[in-house]
Amino acid sequence: MAALSGFRKLIGRPANALETDRLALRRHRRSDFGDCQAMWSDSDVMRYLGGRPFTREECWARLLRYAGHWDLLGFGFWAVIEKASGRFAGEIGFANFERDIEPSFDGAPEIGWVFMPWAQGRGYATEAARAVTAWGDAKFGSSRTVCIISPDNVPSLRVAEKSGYRQWGETDYKDSPVVMFERKPGR
């Protein structure tokens, strides 16, 4: 259980719900759609994630993809809720996006996170990432996990490094430069 330190399972909740001091992480619900759409359609949020806000249709497809990950792969993204207020703060988790990227991720689970503008700069992403990587260590064993981040997204680069991710490459993804990171359990 040492790998699970840094988060607690929510009492009476599924094993894939996590809790930190300030945050509750749970599977998405249909009722999260409005918050997801508000976040993914915000131009400030999207500046490092492709540059253009998502449409309502794209946000709905993303929410369905989250459910599909859990059902088909046994892992996925969590909705992040600020415990003190009950507000939707963002999303974080692991996915297999089958990205057409070189060098290849070779099937490694990919961590990602995105937070509402009001929740940025409060340490929530690092707090959530540490809980999720501990969960990933227990789930994936000795397998590495990966992520890609825009080289201009300095806050996310710091979150990755604080969570044990180390740069292993640079490439272009969808005509934009990205830094490739990997993490091996125990880092």
Side-chain angles (χ1 to χ4, degrees):
M1 277 300 181
L4 300 179
S5 65
F7 73 88
R8 299 179 303 275
K9 291 183 181 181
L10 292 173
I11 297 171
R13 300 279 177 93
N16 57 14
L18 309 176
E19 182 179 306
T20 70
D21 289 340
R22 301 180 296 162
L23 306 170
L25 286 68
R26 60 160 173 75
R27 285 180 64 167
H28 286 80
R29 302 173 182 154
R30 183 183 171 109
S31 59
D32 293 324
F33 179 58
D35 289 320
C36 292
Q37 184 181 8
M39 182 175 66
W40 287 101
S41 64
D42 185 292
S43 57
D44 286 336
V45 170
M46 296 304 294
R47 72 181 172 272
Y48 302 120
L49 301 170
R52 71 165 181 82
F54 281 7
T55 65
R56 179 179 175 82
E57 179 181 347
E58 290 168 323
C59 293
W60 180 247
R62 179 170 287 279
L63 191 65
L64 295 175
R65 181 168 60 181
Y66 293 153
H69 265 87
W70 284 107
D71 289 343
L72 295 177
L73 302 175
F75 59 89
F77 270 63
W78 288 270
V80 179
I81 309 300
E82 182 186 53
K83 287 170 29 177
S85 68
R87 292 173 73 186
F88 179 92
E91 301 171 342
I92 189 168
F94 292 105
N96 179 347
F97 294 124
E98 292 291 335
R99 290 192 195 272
D100 186 14
I101 194 168
E102 288 297 330
S104 170
F105 289 154
D106 295 323
E110 179 182 348
I111 193 171
W113 52 83
V114 60
F115 282 80
M116 299 287 274
W118 71 265
Q120 295 174 12
R122 297 176 180 221
Y124 287 168
T126 299
E127 185 174 326
R130 287 180 175 159
V132 168
T133 55
W135 181 92
D137 287 353
K139 172 73 175 171
F140 305 122
S142 62
S143 298
R144 76 182 180 133
T145 58
V146 297
C147 65
I148 57 173
I149 302 172
S150 165
D152 297 328
N153 189 346
V154 174
S156 276
L157 294 170
R158 282 195 300 257
V159 169
E161 290 169 357
K162 288 178 185 177
S163 302
Y165 284 86
R166 302 293 174 249
Q167 182 175 341
W168 68 279
E170 295 179 10
T171 192
D172 286 335
Y173 180 68
K174 294 189 176 182
D175 299 322
S176 295
V178 292
V179 180
M180 303 177 85
F181 288 86
E182 69 179 354
R183 182 181 181 281
K184 297 180 182 169
R187 272 195 183 172

